[in-house]
Amino acid sequence: MTGPHEPTDGPLYAVVIPTLVRATLADCLAALAAATGPRPAEIVLVDDRPEADADPAALAHPLRILGELRDRTRVLTSGGRGPAAARNTGARAVGAPWTVFLDDDVQVGPHWCAQLAEDIEEAPEDTAGIQGVIAVPLPGERRPTDWERGTAGLAEARWITADMAYRTAVLKEVGGFDERFRRAFREDADLALRVLDAGWGIRRGRRTTRHPVRPADRWVSLRAQRGNADDALMGRLHGPDWWIEAAAPRGRIRTHVAVTAAGAGACALAALGRPRAAAALGLGWALGTAEFARARIAPGPRTRHEVGTMLATSVLIPPAATWHRLAGEWRHRRAPAWREVTS
């Protein structure tokens, strides 16, 4: 008689976890080891730290947490090339029919293995991907911060690889993740759009995974503007309306460009000795910046620290977003559309 953790009564799947060996990895592996249901045929941890920082000893504790699953686990390295490359490294090593991607900062539910098996067994033959249900715990005693609200948006996002299962053969068919996406941003939407374009379906499953809000400093929203370069690549690959197909928020890039242009124009006109025109553009910059700051402050906790952070970053985000978008447009100017590559 097999126990609840035996793999013999369920579909074969492998789990691929790209990691920078953050403190969250131990909780991720502990939750996976404790989940009931058919066990993964294998677990592939892909250490994506740069080679100079990849101390193998840092993985000793997380690997011990896996218990009996340790014998089914192997560690690969991907040299710090980003999560898309790390997932490809892991997926190429998988021999199971299904590959399930987890991020190293999530915690699967107590019955995740059983629910995953049901998701796979119930999948129609034309279904290539099954997305998990993501839950983001937020503080109950106060309003969430800007960073917490941004993380909470993952619960409604499509196709995110925080918990995403794909048929291994389909991953190979479409060429896996595009490794030009160097951050954990848009690489999942790009893959899903290519899978759908190849005639496959993607559905949402019933298994649940918890995605806690990780600690972050006050400048995290400013660093996140690097994703505007990835949006430029998405536009080259999937056309200007890619965000409609991906059901992704369009964001404020057009407004950010306008506010940045107004600010730059005001400075230039002032330097040229045209104070009235400079004042007009300066007023436009101030109004645009104030509106942006108010939209971020109003739903938040409105503490002194949060308000100060929102005011400072609301001034800096529009030029940062504009710079990264222009840099992305230039960097990817020769990237062919996905349909041109496959035709």
Side-chain angles (χ1 to χ4, degrees):
M1 180 177 179
T2 59
H5 296 312
E6 292 300 315
T8 54
D9 58 350
L12 289 179
Y13 66 94
V15 175
V16 172
I17 305 175
T19 182
L20 295 175
V21 196
R22 300 180 288 187
T24 55
L25 178 61
D27 290 335
C28 174
L29 297 182
L32 180 58
T36 60
R39 306 302 260 169
E42 55 185 329
I43 299 172
V44 183
L45 287 179
V46 185
D47 185 347
D48 193 45
R49 293 174 295 173
E51 292 182 6
D53 301 331
D55 179 9
L59 279 168
H61 172 62
L63 288 173
R64 282 197 299 269
I65 289 174
L66 282 170
E68 65 182 31
L69 288 179
R70 176 65 184 92
D71 293 337
R72 305 185 188 189
T73 303
R74 51 178 157 165
V75 178
L76 305 177
T77 59
S78 50
R81 294 181 293 127
R87 293 191 189 102
N88 284 343
T89 297
R92 284 193 292 267
V94 167
W98 287 83
T99 300
V100 186
F101 298 105
L102 293 176
D103 286 348
D104 71 350
D105 57 352
V106 304
Q107 300 159 16
V108 301
H111 308 295
W112 184 84
C113 294
Q115 292 171 332
L116 171 64
E118 292 175 0
D119 286 344
I120 292 174
E121 289 169 348
E122 295 172 3
E125 291 185 359
D126 62 352
T127 294
I130 311 172
Q131 179 179 340
V133 177
I134 303 298
V136 180
L138 293 175
E141 72 281 2
R142 59 167 174 78
R143 294 179 177 183
T145 64
D146 179 70
W147 171 240
E148 290 167 340
R149 294 194 305 275
T151 303
L154 297 175
E156 302 300 325
R158 279 193 185 181
W159 314 317
I160 60 171
T161 41
D163 180 354
M164 188 73 191
Y166 277 110
R167 292 186 191 270
T168 305
V170 175
L171 289 173
K172 295 177 181 178
E173 176 186 330
V174 302
F177 290 90
D178 189 327
E179 297 183 10
R180 287 172 292 186
F181 292 95
R182 298 296 297 268
R183 290 168 290 276
F185 190 69
R186 303 303 190 207
E187 84 289 356
D188 43 13
D190 166 69
L191 174 62
L193 288 177
R194 287 187 281 117
V195 168
L196 294 171
D197 194 55
W200 293 93
I202 302 175
R203 61 189 291 267
R204 187 180 292 269
R206 291 196 297 267
R207 66 189 188 280
T208 58
T209 293
R210 185 173 179 266
H211 193 308
V213 180
R214 69 175 186 271
D217 62 56
R218 69 190 311 171
W219 305 113
V220 65
S221 60
L222 186 61
R223 292 193 299 274
Q225 300 313 308
R226 293 177 294 181
N228 283 282
D230 300 309
D231 282 351
L233 178 55
M234 286 292 289
R236 294 294 302 171
L237 295 175
H238 302 287
D241 295 330
W242 68 267
W243 55 277
I244 298 176
E245 296 180 48
R250 190 167 192 174
R252 284 176 166 259
I253 187 60
R254 292 184 176 181
T255 304
H256 289 334
V257 171
V259 169
T260 301
C267 293
L269 289 171
L272 293 172
R274 301 177 60 183
R276 289 187 178 180
L281 284 181
L283 178 60
W285 172 86
L287 290 174
T289 301
E291 184 278 327
F292 182 39
R294 189 201 68 79
R296 301 171 72 209
I297 292 170
R302 305 181 195 178
T303 61
R304 179 179 298 180
H305 180 273
E306 178 73 0
V307 171
T309 297
M310 294 301 98
L311 289 174
T313 54
S314 293
V315 171
L316 297 173
I317 282 175
T322 301
W323 167 256
H324 286 298
R325 182 56 178 262
L326 292 174
E329 295 286 357
W330 176 258
R331 185 183 313 133
H332 302 300
R333 65 192 183 280
R334 294 190 177 91
W338 157 247
R339 290 178 178 86
E340 293 177 7
V341 173
T342 56
S343 61

